[in-house]
Amino acid sequence: RVHAEYVGHRRALRMIVILRNPTDRVLSWYGHIGAWRGHGNLSLDEFVHVSLRELRACAASHGLTTESDELWASPCRELHPPLYDALTGGLYAPQIAEWLRWFPASQIALVTFGGYMNRTGKVLHDLTAFIGQRRRSGALAITAARINIRSTKRVSFNATAHAALTEFYRPHVDALIALLH
């Protein structure tokens, strides 16, 4: 939809995409959206295993594997959308490939979330140049917020859930790396 809306401005458009480690993205999704959508009755680890199990079953019922990039735009979108969104939002390769169909790579800046958090000033300086702006003198220093003020406790996956997500995302991260090279 975006490409149709901006077709007249396509050459001037610059997109900034922040990519988060997909496993960390699931953790964040669970904390911010999962509870809001009624998944508070599942622990984070249960949520991971239930989501993976249901997505695998849906993919198999449509002749797909969870390694397939087609999973991103598959009929599994109708499968309990919160579960689908939590996992497939981190399938970056097909999403970036779709953008590249409409916009040249020179108009898309990919930034890792970790890079942004660790080198905020440098990343913002580079992005300012990318969008064709120059740094303003006397501008206030901008730093990344390091703590979510709504968080009350630190949550993390157990080793089994972390390993399951890492294994699920491995072929998708490999596909993104191949796309970018």
Side-chain angles (χ1 to χ4, degrees):
R1 292 180 305 195
V2 172
H3 60 275
E5 295 289 327
Y6 293 101
V7 70
H9 307 283
R10 192 172 1 186
R11 293 192 194 287
L13 187 66
R14 299 288 182 265
M15 290 179 285
I16 299 169
V17 180
I18 298 180
L19 301 177
R20 190 166 195 178
N21 175 315
T23 299
D24 293 342
R25 187 186 171 286
V26 172
L27 177 66
S28 179
W29 189 97
Y30 177 84
H32 293 286
I33 298 170
W36 174 69
R37 289 195 179 169
H39 292 290
N41 60 330
L42 295 174
S43 73
L44 174 60
D45 300 316
E46 290 169 328
F47 175 78
V48 166
H49 292 295
V50 166
S51 297
L52 287 169
R53 183 181 66 236
E54 290 194 26
L55 191 60
R56 282 185 183 113
C58 181
S61 74
H62 294 286
L64 299 171
T65 66
T66 55
E67 292 83 19
S68 171
D69 278 348
E70 294 176 33
L71 187 62
W72 178 69
S74 75
C76 293
R77 282 186 174 273
E78 305 303 318
L79 171 72
H80 304 289
L83 299 177
Y84 177 86
D85 295 345
L87 292 175
T88 59
L91 305 182
Y92 300 129
Q95 297 176 62
I96 299 300
E98 180 66 18
W99 284 107
L100 290 170
R101 287 184 51 221
W102 300 99
F103 301 98
S106 62
Q107 290 178 229
I108 303 172
L110 297 179
V111 178
T112 65
F113 183 76
Y116 170 74
M117 294 300 289
N118 293 326
R119 296 177 304 284
T120 305
K122 170 78 170 113
V123 169
L124 292 176
H125 179 268
D126 292 348
L127 291 175
T128 300
F130 172 71
I131 63 172
Q133 298 294 308
R134 55 185 171 87
R135 193 173 222 173
R136 295 186 176 121
S137 62
L140 297 175
I142 300 174
T143 59
R146 303 221 184 270
I147 299 173
N148 177 349
I149 59 172
R150 294 187 303 169
S151 295
T152 57
K153 61 182 178 178
R154 184 117 180 128
V155 178
S156 62
F157 301 108
N158 70 24
T160 305
H162 190 274
L165 283 172
T166 299
E167 192 58 33
F168 170 76
Y169 284 118
R170 184 178 323 280
H172 300 286
V173 170
D174 290 346
L176 177 62
I177 291 167
L179 175 69
L180 298 177
H181 281 102

